Amino acid sequence: MIEVKEVISEQDLIGALSKIFRPDQMIISKKEVEAHSQTCIPFRKIPDVIIYPTEAKQVQDLVLLANELKVPIWTVSTGKNWGYGEKTATYEGGITLVLERMNRILTVDEELGYAVIEPGVTYKELNDHLKTKGYKLWSDSAGTTQFASVIGNALDKGRGLTPYADHFGHLCGLNVILPNGEVLETGGGPTGNNHVRHLYKWGVGPYADGFFTQSNLGIVVSAGIWLMPAPEHSDCGIFEYKADMSLFGSFIDDFRGLIFSGHMKSFPHLANDFAMLCILDQYPKHLLENGELCLSKEGIAQWRKEHGVAPWSFGFGLYGKKGEVAEQKRMIKKTLGKYGQIHFIGAATENSMKGGLIRKLAPLALKLMGKSQVFAQGYIDALNLFKGIPTDRFARQVYLKAQPEKPVADIDPARDQCGFVWIGPVIPLNAHHSMKALEVAQQLFDKYQFEMFIEYIIESPRSSIFLMGVFFDRNDPLDCERAQKWYREVREVFLALGYPPYRVATHCAEETFDSNPVFKNLIHTIKTAVDPKNILAPGRYGTPPRRKKGTSRE
Amino acid sequence: MIEVKEVISEQDLIGALSKIFRPDQMIISKKEVEAHSQTCIPFRKIPDVIIYPTEAKQVQDLVLLANELKVPIWTVSTGKNWGYGEKTATYEGGITLVLERMNRILTVDEELGYAVIEPGVTYKELNDHLKTKGYKLWSDSAGTTQFASVIGNALDKGRGLTPYADHFGHLCGLNVILPNGEVLETGGGPTGNNHVRHLYKWGVGPYADGFFTQSNLGIVVSAGIWLMPAPEHSDCGIFEYKADMSLFGSFIDDFRGLIFSGHMKSFPHLANDFAMLCILDQYPKHLLENGELCLSKEGIAQWRKEHGVAPWSFGFGLYGKKGEVAEQKRMIKKTLGKYGQIHFIGAATENSMKGGLIRKLAPLALKLMGKSQVFAQGYIDALNLFKGIPTDRFARQVYLKAQPEKPVADIDPARDQCGFVWIGPVIPLNAHHSMKALEVAQQLFDKYQFEMFIEYIIESPRSSIFLMGVFFDRNDPLDCERAQKWYREVREVFLALGYPPYRVATHCAEETFDSNPVFKNLIHTIKTAVDPKNILAPGRYGTPPRRKKGTSRE
């Protein structure tokens, strides 16, 4: 089935791996491997074996063995990059390496604001550790599951919501197993003794951390991550866009001004109605017209009305001394008030009598505001995210069509065969490009008959990730094909418009740099030099693919 | 004299170059080449020819020619990296490529806050352009000369003082001529049409801008640089440390807190008395004791008294709305007031009646404060730097021992044979490491009989560049040797203590990664793959050196 079998039998491979890993560190039965290889994206390949190392030394030994046997290794941290590729490689067979059991928190430095962690450490573990030990530090969290890997998300350039939302930008100093088995320590200094490798980002010489993001030049086995000193005071709010869409462009321009001026310190996700509704409810089949694959505009308007959802909304955080938070509130109200409603509801997340009272009164307040009761808990989780406290609430949105109800716990949309895929072109954060992206997105959602799911993931005052996604029936090949076609056309159209994606789902990984042949050539040259046997994640992010069976192996 | 001559005569080289460059773009006479190759650092090599391209196409043609002829190219932007290496290569002969005539400002985008410029654009040109055209944008400036290259300084990880002090961190999207002559466009998207390559830093795939900092994998021929929207209001101040040195550690810790909390938005350079005095005055030979190579502690104390200089001082900027600037002032006073004196003197830089009056009264005020009159203009230039306005005032400090007086204009310490060299280990920004670095520095300055020159260049709330420098007689081989020995021992001792340098002077370039052999091996592998003939700046930042005459050329 895969080329490695031409050289080494599966039995011999298992035999060789057994010299490094205990039986409980390997999944080898076809049935189990298959069960652990499920995906949400409309694509998957099944490996020969799944390996769970506990120590960097085991990873090192595995890399040396893989070179010897010419077996490829596809590495994930915890594999919770749902909708971007989960654990699947770009090719059949080989070894899938899951680092989730390497989950030690090696250092926390409260004074200088950083931790050193292994790739199995999840948002929940890091946040719990900080809270339990009483550190006055916050870890940013991705909006996805609390069981995602902090390092894995950062290396894939994932985003959070607090002032430390730029996850890759807050990594500093990596330990990396290179394809030749050597352990590289980035951070600009001598091996083994460097007080600043987790403090000073650029090091000396080329900036080496950059080699290992969205890449396959090594396996990161630990990393420094900067943490935010807990501010003296924080609050949070909800904004609901209520103005005519003709004003949306100037709203975006004003929003940008708030970030440039420092009055908006968090990095909100501005979600459209459908994206919000996916969080609150299951798919309203009763609103689907006969024979249609997706809700009509009227259907969505009706559904929106049932829950009191605005056409666009976002949550945000406020941070600083009390007076500074008040000034941020004032400026946000002054700047965005003309476009909609702003509610400051930080008190509701407080662990105080006041907080308890507000939570008790929330149902009544929501009713008065024309909102459904499901809002209440969602608000609190959303607003906790602005303090870096992770949650599984928003990951549950992907169960929209897959099950009659959203699960309460044990979220695993890959296992549960929720079909969905994300694509996030980067756009300039201004009126023109925000409107242009929206217009084109609407056409493509309509063309393939998917409801339009949009989040502007604010990246900086200069750019935004324009996140689009579709939900489909993962077990229906025709529906998978529809999603695949939508994805590819969106990718091509947005590339042609000058909006390249910030991240690539695995089924399109090999095409990543096709539109930039000089860069592709450079990356291929470097990859071939550093990993001459193409052992590490071949085909990941536009690198040379694993050759098909029957052709030369390297 | 150099290996290229074994293959091609100088005449043939000039002949080949003449097909690409006009006569006025080449310096070929031995005397002129020698005059343009002078250095401040105690080291220099002389090239065969110096070339001044005006177009990227010429650079591309040159790279192709150099590959053909196997002649190395050492590239500088304007070569104003005084004290780090100026224009010198690590080897004799070859082509020195100076990009100063490629000085077009290609784009300024006021809305999204960036410019795209060529490497010959200086701080002065960029700042003048923004001011003349009325853009509400500030460019950060290095504390060195206004004629330094914005891109060159950023690619060498130079620093400024405003909130945009991290120059490399504010580069975004490069055009690079690769060693094979291809033009790489970084910034994550398709060649020729990408609206976000100067807006979104990380691109897609490995972060490519990072390949080209302190490196030699390509020649950057244009770059995006982020600019700071002019704040509604700004002010600036001077802090003078007056407390006992036993409190210096807790002062550093409190300083860090101000940066973390956002009340100190600029990135000051905390200078010791000698560093300040070098700016204000020429070397006080009258205070030198008989036979001593450097001033005694008493001599420095006396000199310091003459000018009313504090043991430590720094300037800083304040930015935001009026109320926010007031709050920053309040917090800075509250936090640092116990360690010394703070003067807010932003009004003195204002182009108003009030500003004029203050400037008129400055001499009297200085006298009352026990300060010499030379302070007055220095203050204004320093404080302008916190608005990104460049100056040559501080570059003049390096004339300390070289001439009887500091020149008023036309600063060129390399031409004027001022001997000096900088080294900047990175240290954690806390009490322990700040005191440790100071203690070790003092021992090494004493050992080699140089006056201690220290600036803590605040890099972030987490780290500081601990800049040390010495002034010596560039034309005295013995004094040059003393400086060389001081530099090498400082480098070794600070590396061993875990404080790697942020930047390497050219005479030590080849040793950059000797203490980190795995990184050295990785960089060599990549360099050899991307530049197989080792054409671009061989030996720069720890890459494979140009082989000596008589050995194989590659």
Side-chain angles (χ1 to χ4, degrees):
Chain A
M1 172 179 167
I2 62 135
E3 54 206 347
V4 64
K5 290 179 186 165
E6 299 163 27
V7 185
I8 183 171
S9 72
E10 202 169 303
Q11 206 178 331
D12 289 348
L13 174 61
I14 305 301
L17 290 169
S18 299
K19 289 179 186 153
I20 306 173
F21 299 99
R22 296 186 309 273
D24 68 299
Q25 295 188 288
M26 301 192 284
I27 295 181
I28 52 175
S29 97
K30 278 213 178 330
K31 202 178 143 189
E32 270 193 273
V33 167
E34 135 81 27
H36 279 80
S37 304
Q38 287 179 305
T39 59
C40 302
I41 66 168
F43 172 92
R44 80 153 156 169
K45 303 287 179 183
I46 299 173
D48 290 315
V49 52
I50 307 177
I51 297 284
Y52 296 83
T54 51
E55 301 287 338
K57 180 69 173 63
Q58 287 185 320
V59 176
Q60 197 175 16
D61 291 344
L62 177 65
V63 168
L64 293 172
L65 178 71
N67 266 288
E68 201 182 299
L69 303 180
K70 298 183 183 174
V71 181
I73 300 171
W74 190 270
T75 306
V76 296
S77 297
T78 60
K80 302 286 197 298
N81 55 341
W82 296 324
Y84 286 111
E86 300 77 35
K87 297 192 187 76
T88 189
T90 51
Y91 50 84
E92 292 285 342
I95 297 164
T96 292
L97 184 66
V98 182
L99 303 178
E100 66 184 34
R101 295 187 198 169
M102 291 175 60
N103 63 348
R104 288 175 302 170
I105 295 169
L106 303 169
T107 309
V108 177
D109 188 319
E110 188 172 46
E111 182 181 62
L112 295 166
Y114 72 95
V116 183
I117 59 176
E118 292 186 327
V121 173
T122 64
Y123 290 113
K124 179 170 169 47
E125 283 163 350
L126 181 54
N127 184 65
D128 285 354
H129 182 82
L130 297 174
K131 297 281 187 291
T132 310
K133 302 273 180 182
Y135 289 112
K136 293 196 186 91
L137 294 171
W138 288 2
S139 145
D140 189 90
S141 293
T144 177
T145 170
Q146 57 190 326
F147 300 106
S149 158
V150 175
I151 291 182
N153 185 277
L155 289 174
D156 254 355
K157 304 180 192 166
R159 301 277 316 174
L161 295 111
T162 75
Y164 281 40
D166 175 5
H167 292 172
F168 176 69
H170 287 80
L171 282 190
C172 189
L174 313 175
N175 277 21
V176 187
I177 311 288
L178 296 177
N180 65 1
E182 289 183 329
V183 184
L184 174 70
E185 296 178 90
T186 73
T191 302
N193 178 29
N194 178 344
H195 289 301
V196 295
R197 57 184 297 242
H198 302 304
L199 302 175
Y200 174 58
K201 204 163 171 56
W202 307 128
V204 69
Y207 168 57
D209 292 8
F211 296 171
F212 303 103
T213 176
Q214 295 187 344
S215 173
N216 55 7
L217 296 173
I219 299 173
V220 176
V221 291
S222 69
I225 179 128
W226 289 345
L227 302 171
M228 176 175 157
E232 210 172 291
H233 193 70
S234 72
D235 199 341
C236 38
I238 299 279
F239 170 82
E240 295 188 309
Y241 187 89
K242 299 276 173 89
D244 189 85
M245 276 307 282
S246 64
L247 295 176
F248 195 75
S250 68
F251 158 70
I252 292 285
D253 283 337
D254 283 337
F255 199 168
R256 182 187 62 246
L258 280 175
I259 309 174
F260 261 131
S261 70
H263 296 108
M264 177 65 77
K265 293 188 187 301
S266 62
F267 292 93
H269 298 188
L270 170 63
N272 76 341
D273 49 5
F274 183 73
M276 274 299 285
L277 288 160
C278 297
I279 296 167
L280 300 169
D281 201 358
Q282 291 303 83
Y283 196 65
K285 286 189 186 142
H286 64 282
L287 296 174
L288 206 55
E289 285 166 44
N290 275 343
E292 291 294 321
L293 287 173
C294 72
L295 299 168
S296 64
K297 288 194 175 48
E298 295 70 33
I300 288 185
Q302 175 60 32
W303 191 23
R304 183 208 290 172
K305 209 176 145 194
E306 284 173 19
H307 288 284
V309 164
W312 294 92
S313 43
F314 66 86
F316 57 93
L318 306 142
Y319 312 92
K321 299 172 72 66
K322 260 200 168 160
E324 292 165 338
V325 168
E327 177 66 7
Q328 290 162 33
K329 280 187 186 181
R330 198 181 70 80
M331 286 304 295
I332 290 170
K333 267 194 273 189
K334 186 180 160 190
T335 312
L336 301 185
K338 54 182 170 284
Y339 301 109
Q341 282 183 332
I342 302 164
H343 307 283
F344 295 101
I345 52 175
T349 67
E350 274 172 26
N351 201 4
S352 64
M353 257 185 59
K354 187 179 165 197
L357 187 65
I358 292 173
R359 285 192 289 277
K360 214 169 260 175
L361 291 175
L364 181 63
L366 288 170
K367 202 170 169 189
L368 293 172
M369 286 157 70
K371 294 195 181 302
S372 74
Q373 295 299 320
V374 285
F375 261 90
Q377 187 55 39
Y379 269 172
I380 290 173
D381 286 336
L383 297 174
N384 273 334
L385 266 179
F386 288 97
K387 297 180 181 179
I389 300 168
T391 173
D392 272 5
R393 174 159 306 272
F394 307 109
R396 305 190 328 159
Q397 71 185 350
V398 302
Y399 282 82
L400 179 75
K401 292 180 175 177
Q403 294 185 2
E405 290 198 10
K406 295 188 198 303
V408 174
D410 190 22
I411 313 281
D412 187 343
R415 175 199 64 203
D416 298 336
Q417 286 295 280
C418 307
F420 63 99
V421 65
W422 305 126
I423 184 164
V426 189
I427 62 170
L429 187 60
N430 69 7
H432 171 73
H433 292 289
S434 297
M435 295 306 286
K436 181 75 191 168
L438 202 53
E439 177 198 325
V440 174
Q442 182 73 67
Q443 288 164 6
L444 292 167
F445 278 104
D446 287 352
K447 175 171 176 183
Y448 290 95
Q449 294 190 64
F450 286 111
E451 292 88 4
M452 184 165 78
F453 179 114
I454 304 283
E455 283 185 22
Y456 291 85
I457 300 180
I458 307 299
E459 197 275 326
S460 79
R462 295 180 176 83
S463 72
S464 173
I465 294 163
F466 186 75
L467 187 76
M468 294 168 275
V470 292
F471 301 101
F472 54 91
D473 185 343
R474 184 66 188 81
N475 293 311
D476 174 353
L478 274 182
D479 218 32
C480 285
E481 197 190 322
R482 181 166 67 114
Q484 278 264 21
K485 282 188 177 163
W486 169 84
Y487 184 99
R488 284 180 187 274
E489 186 164 351
V490 167
R491 185 174 171 277
E492 277 161 32
V493 169
F494 276 79
L495 264 175
L497 285 169
Y499 309 134
Y502 91 108
R503 192 169 175 180
V504 169
T506 304
H507 64 287
C508 280
E510 290 181 10
E511 299 150 40
T512 307
F513 304 125
D514 284 359
S515 56
N516 194 350
V518 175
F519 192 54
K520 181 172 179 169
N521 186 28
L522 176 66
I523 294 297
H524 280 224
T525 301
I526 292 175
K527 173 69 175 172
T528 306
V530 173
D531 184 8
K533 294 189 181 164
N534 207 6
I535 290 308
L536 295 189
R540 195 171 144 78
Y541 275 94
T543 53
R546 189 76 180 160
R547 294 266 164 76
K548 297 279 188 312
K549 189 174 163 178
T551 68
S552 157
R553 184 147 296 103
E554 288 97 53
Chain B
M1 171 180 167
I2 63 135
E3 56 205 348
V4 65
K5 290 179 187 165
E6 297 162 29
V7 185
I8 182 170
S9 73
E10 202 169 304
Q11 205 179 332
D12 288 349
L13 174 61
I14 305 300
L17 289 168
S18 298
K19 289 180 186 153
I20 306 173
F21 300 99
R22 295 186 308 273
D24 68 300
Q25 296 188 287
M26 302 192 283
I27 295 182
I28 51 175
S29 96
K30 276 210 179 334
K31 201 179 145 191
E32 269 193 274
V33 167
E34 135 80 27
H36 280 79
S37 304
Q38 287 179 304
T39 59
C40 302
I41 65 168
F43 172 93
R44 80 152 156 169
K45 303 286 179 183
I46 299 173
D48 290 313
V49 52
I50 306 176
I51 297 285
Y52 296 82
T54 51
E55 299 288 337
K57 179 68 173 60
Q58 287 185 321
V59 177
Q60 195 175 16
D61 291 344
L62 178 65
V63 168
L64 293 171
L65 178 71
N67 266 287
E68 201 182 298
L69 303 181
K70 298 182 183 174
V71 180
I73 300 171
W74 190 272
T75 306
V76 297
S77 296
T78 60
K80 301 288 196 299
N81 54 342
W82 297 324
Y84 287 111
E86 300 77 32
K87 297 193 188 76
T88 189
T90 52
Y91 50 83
E92 292 285 342
I95 297 163
T96 292
L97 184 67
V98 182
L99 304 178
E100 67 186 33
R101 296 188 199 167
M102 290 175 60
N103 63 349
R104 287 176 301 170
I105 295 169
L106 304 169
T107 308
V108 176
D109 188 320
E110 188 171 45
E111 182 181 61
L112 295 166
Y114 72 95
V116 183
I117 59 176
E118 291 185 328
V121 173
T122 65
Y123 290 113
K124 179 169 169 47
E125 283 163 349
L126 181 54
N127 184 65
D128 285 353
H129 183 82
L130 297 174
K131 298 281 186 290
T132 311
K133 302 275 180 181
Y135 290 113
K136 293 194 186 95
L137 294 171
W138 288 3
S139 143
D140 189 90
S141 292
T144 178
T145 169
Q146 57 189 327
F147 299 106
S149 157
V150 175
I151 292 182
N153 185 277
L155 289 174
D156 254 354
K157 302 178 190 165
R159 301 277 315 173
L161 295 112
T162 75
Y164 281 41
D166 175 5
H167 292 172
F168 176 69
H170 287 80
L171 282 190
C172 188
L174 313 176
N175 278 20
V176 188
I177 311 288
L178 296 177
N180 64 2
E182 290 183 330
V183 184
L184 174 71
E185 295 178 272
T186 73
T191 303
N193 177 27
N194 177 345
H195 290 300
V196 295
R197 57 184 296 242
H198 302 304
L199 303 175
Y200 173 59
K201 204 166 172 53
W202 306 128
V204 70
Y207 168 57
D209 292 7
F211 295 171
F212 303 103
T213 176
Q214 294 186 346
S215 173
N216 56 7
L217 297 172
I219 299 173
V220 175
V221 291
S222 69
I225 179 129
W226 289 346
L227 302 172
M228 175 174 158
E232 210 172 290
H233 193 69
S234 71
D235 199 341
C236 38
I238 299 279
F239 171 81
E240 296 189 306
Y241 187 88
K242 299 277 175 90
D244 189 86
M245 276 309 282
S246 63
L247 295 176
F248 195 74
S250 68
F251 158 69
I252 292 285
D253 283 338
D254 283 337
F255 199 169
R256 182 187 62 246
L258 280 175
I259 309 172
F260 261 132
S261 70
H263 296 109
M264 176 66 78
K265 293 188 188 302
S266 61
F267 293 93
H269 298 186
L270 170 64
N272 76 344
D273 48 5
F274 183 73
M276 275 298 286
L277 287 160
C278 296
I279 295 168
L280 299 170
D281 201 358
Q282 289 304 82
Y283 195 65
K285 286 190 186 140
H286 64 283
L287 295 174
L288 205 56
E289 286 166 44
N290 275 344
E292 291 293 320
L293 289 172
C294 72
L295 299 169
S296 64
K297 289 196 175 45
E298 294 70 34
I300 289 187
Q302 176 59 33
W303 192 24
R304 183 207 290 172
K305 211 177 143 195
E306 285 174 17
H307 288 285
V309 164
W312 295 92
S313 43
F314 66 86
F316 57 93
L318 306 141
Y319 312 92
K321 298 172 74 63
K322 261 202 167 159
E324 291 164 338
V325 167
E327 176 66 8
Q328 291 162 32
K329 280 187 185 181
R330 198 180 69 81
M331 286 303 296
I332 289 169
K333 268 195 270 187
K334 187 180 160 189
T335 312
L336 301 185
K338 55 181 169 286
Y339 302 109
Q341 282 183 333
I342 304 164
H343 307 281
F344 295 101
I345 51 175
T349 67
E350 274 171 27
N351 201 4
S352 65
M353 256 184 61
K354 188 180 166 197
L357 187 64
I358 292 173
R359 286 192 290 276
K360 212 169 262 177
L361 291 175
L364 181 62
L366 288 169
K367 199 170 173 189
L368 292 172
M369 286 157 72
K371 294 195 182 302
S372 74
Q373 295 300 320
V374 285
F375 261 89
Q377 187 55 39
Y379 270 171
I380 290 173
D381 285 336
L383 297 173
N384 273 335
L385 266 179
F386 288 97
K387 297 180 180 178
I389 300 168
T391 172
D392 272 5
R393 176 160 305 272
F394 307 109
R396 306 191 325 158
Q397 71 184 350
V398 302
Y399 282 82
L400 180 75
K401 292 179 176 179
Q403 295 185 2
E405 288 199 11
K406 295 188 199 302
V408 174
D410 189 23
I411 313 281
D412 187 342
R415 175 199 63 203
D416 298 336
Q417 286 295 280
C418 307
F420 63 100
V421 64
W422 305 125
I423 184 165
V426 189
I427 62 170
L429 188 59
N430 68 9
H432 171 72
H433 291 290
S434 298
M435 295 305 286
K436 180 77 191 165
L438 202 52
E439 177 198 324
V440 175
Q442 182 73 69
Q443 287 163 8
L444 292 168
F445 278 104
D446 287 351
K447 176 171 174 182
Y448 289 94
Q449 294 190 64
F450 285 111
E451 292 87 5
M452 185 164 79
F453 180 113
I454 304 283
E455 283 185 23
Y456 291 85
I457 300 180
I458 307 298
E459 197 275 326
S460 78
R462 295 180 175 83
S463 73
S464 173
I465 294 163
F466 185 74
L467 187 76
M468 293 167 275
V470 292
F471 301 101
F472 54 89
D473 185 343
R474 185 64 186 82
N475 293 313
D476 175 353
L478 274 181
D479 218 32
C480 286
E481 197 189 322
R482 182 166 67 114
Q484 278 264 21
K485 281 188 177 164
W486 169 83
Y487 184 99
R488 283 180 188 274
E489 186 164 349
V490 166
R491 186 174 170 275
E492 277 161 33
V493 168
F494 275 79
L495 264 175
L497 285 169
Y499 308 135
Y502 91 108
R503 193 167 174 181
V504 170
T506 304
H507 63 288
C508 280
E510 290 182 9
E511 299 149 41
T512 307
F513 304 125
D514 284 359
S515 56
N516 194 349
V518 174
F519 192 56
K520 181 172 180 169
N521 185 28
L522 176 66
I523 294 298
H524 280 224
T525 301
I526 292 175
K527 174 68 174 173
T528 306
V530 172
D531 184 7
K533 294 190 182 164
N534 208 8
I535 291 308
L536 294 190
R540 196 171 143 77
Y541 276 94
T543 52
R546 189 76 179 160
R547 294 261 167 77
K548 298 278 188 314
K549 188 176 166 179
T551 67
S552 155
R553 185 144 297 104
E554 289 96 54

